[in-house]
Amino acid sequence: MKLWNQQQSKQHTIRHPQPLATLPDNIETEIRSLIRQTKISDDRAVKVMECFAADFQPFLEIKAEAEAIVVTDPSQTDLIARAKDIDKMLSHVDKSLTERHKIEKEPLLRPAQLLDGIRRTYSNAVNKVRDHLKAQSTYVERLEKERIDKLITARKAKLAKFEAADMLIVGLGTIPDDQFEVYLLGAKAAFETRKEQERIEAEQRAIDAEANENFRQENARIAAEKAEADERAREADRKAKEAQDELDRIEREKALEAERLAAIEKTKSLAPDKEKLLIFVDELRAIKLPMLSSPEADGRLSYFNRAFQSAIDNLETAANELTGDCPF
């Protein structure tokens, strides 16, 4: 292993410290890389490494033994126990390195923080004055910008009256007033044209809506009248059918009555005196009394009916007493 490694960097040569010779190759390579990156002096590098030497030495002494431990069977209990012991010892080594890092870094960290704070304080003071100077040196530009911003706001307010505040106008705050007036007149004309078109469309919608409503009402009226006419026709048909049914019923009853009377007459003509009398009794009983409105007339009719029914009963009794044979 070489004790010194020379590397040309820009205009000077970095010489790596003697303690590197005692390190394993892989660790040595990493340390050399760190020294190149940080570009610290050889003396400073040696001092930094010496800070960790005592804490790192136990690892160097036992590294070979630790790496040689290879357990291949559960029965190797002594080897397993040794691995645990070495791991516990290396845990203390790692803890010692961490504590050493904290101790050695603290005095370096505070000056760095102070350095950053001083630089920040000084820079803030410088930039504050620069901001002031910039504000003074851009006074005219700021005034012009404020003027342009106010002009843009005022012109947008005018355009807003015609619903054109979002109208795209290049250089709205810098174009001359007469040129802006041209834009404003155009916005006004477009606004008035649009409003007139909206008015016409609204009127047409109202006309269409009224026409549609009238058409709907007329259709509803026609439908209602048709429904009413249909109902009247159905009612007329129903009454006509009822009247015809009544006429048909009366005709049927007349026919049945005629048939019945004819049968009676035929029976009377063929039956003996007894049967003739009994048929006559039935005919008398079938006579319907009239409906009277006068109590007096109704009373007289009731009196007659009692006598009439008694006479019919007597006639029926006498007829039943006949033998039914003709004496001649």
Side-chain angles (χ1 to χ4, degrees):
M1 181 184 298
K2 295 181 180 180
L3 300 180
W4 301 94
N5 180 32
Q6 296 182 348
Q7 178 182 1
Q8 187 70 25
S9 175
K10 294 183 180 179
Q11 296 179 353
H12 65 277
T13 300
I14 298 177
R15 299 175 61 201
H16 297 296
Q18 180 69 22
L20 282 173
T22 62
L23 298 175
D25 290 344
N26 61 330
I27 300 178
E28 177 189 1
T29 301
E30 291 188 29
I31 296 298
R32 290 180 186 279
S33 177
L34 287 173
I35 294 173
R36 286 195 299 269
Q37 292 174 14
T38 56
K39 299 179 181 180
I40 65 174
S41 65
D42 291 348
D43 294 340
R44 182 56 182 159
V46 170
K47 289 181 180 180
V48 172
M49 294 184 67
E50 287 176 348
C51 291
F52 293 96
D55 297 301
F56 194 56
Q57 186 60 35
F59 167 77
L60 296 176
E61 293 173 354
I62 205 168
K63 176 176 180 296
E65 180 185 355
E67 292 176 340
I69 294 177
V70 178
V71 178
T72 59
D73 190 272
S75 63
Q76 296 173 293
T77 55
D78 292 341
L79 203 57
I80 294 173
R82 180 57 178 164
K84 291 181 179 179
D85 291 340
I86 294 177
D87 179 65
K88 184 176 181 181
M89 184 189 71
L90 293 182
S91 173
H92 291 297
V93 170
D94 183 57
K95 184 177 180 181
S96 297
L97 291 171
T98 301
E99 292 176 352
R100 178 61 58 186
H101 170 264
K102 182 178 180 181
I103 293 171
E104 297 299 331
K105 185 178 178 180
E106 184 67 20
L108 300 176
L109 181 62
R110 298 307 178 187
Q113 292 176 339
L114 177 61
L115 186 67
D116 292 341
I118 292 175
R119 195 277 309 167
R120 186 168 53 253
T121 302
Y122 288 177
S123 294
N124 289 341
V126 170
N127 290 329
K128 182 176 181 181
V129 175
R130 288 191 65 199
D131 290 341
H132 170 73
L133 293 175
K134 185 177 181 180
Q136 308 316 306
S137 63
T138 59
Y139 177 75
V140 175
E141 290 85 346
R142 287 190 293 105
L143 285 181
E144 180 62 12
K145 185 178 183 303
E146 291 176 1
R147 185 191 69 80
I148 291 174
D149 291 342
K150 290 181 181 179
L151 187 59
I152 290 174
T153 301
R155 287 178 173 178
K156 282 189 174 183
K158 292 181 179 181
L159 291 169
K161 295 179 181 179
F162 306 117
E163 299 179 356
D166 297 330
M167 181 178 180
L168 181 60
I169 300 177
V170 179
L172 179 60
T174 57
I175 60 176
D177 289 340
D178 55 351
Q179 186 176 350
F180 172 72
E181 288 298 324
V182 173
Y183 284 115
L184 188 62
L185 289 175
K188 180 181 179 181
F191 173 78
E192 292 175 348
T193 300
R194 186 169 62 254
K195 288 301 180 182
E196 179 62 17
Q197 183 63 30
E198 291 175 356
R199 184 190 65 78
I200 294 173
E201 291 175 356
E203 289 182 354
Q204 187 60 46
R205 285 195 298 272
I207 293 172
D208 293 342
E210 183 178 1
N212 291 335
E213 179 61 20
N214 292 337
F215 180 74
R216 187 193 65 77
Q217 292 180 1
E218 181 63 15
N219 285 342
R221 183 187 65 78
I222 293 173
E225 291 179 353
K226 182 177 182 304
E228 184 178 353
D230 292 342
E231 180 62 25
R232 288 197 301 269
R234 286 193 294 272
E235 181 65 17
D237 291 343
R238 185 184 63 79
K239 290 183 178 180
K241 185 177 182 302
E242 289 179 353
Q244 185 62 45
D245 292 343
E246 181 65 16
L247 290 176
D248 293 343
R249 185 189 64 77
I250 293 173
E251 290 297 327
R252 287 193 302 273
E253 289 182 354
K254 286 181 179 180
L256 291 174
E257 181 65 16
E259 291 178 359
R260 188 182 69 81
L261 293 176
I264 292 174
E265 289 299 327
K266 183 177 180 180
T267 302
K268 288 169 61 179
S269 63
L270 298 177
D273 293 341
K274 180 179 178 179
E275 293 183 7
K276 290 180 180 178
L277 288 175
L278 292 175
I279 292 172
F280 181 61
V281 168
D282 291 338
E283 291 176 349
L284 292 176
R285 291 189 188 281
I287 296 174
K288 295 181 178 181
L289 298 179
M291 299 295 294
L292 303 178
S293 59
S294 169
E296 182 181 358
D298 188 63
R300 291 179 181 275
L301 180 60
S302 297
Y303 177 78
F304 166 78
N305 187 42
R306 287 193 297 274
F308 181 62
Q309 293 298 327
S310 177
I312 293 173
D313 294 339
N314 292 334
L315 180 58
E316 183 179 18
T317 301
N320 288 324
E321 292 176 352
L322 293 176
T323 62
D325 299 328
C326 180
F328 304 103

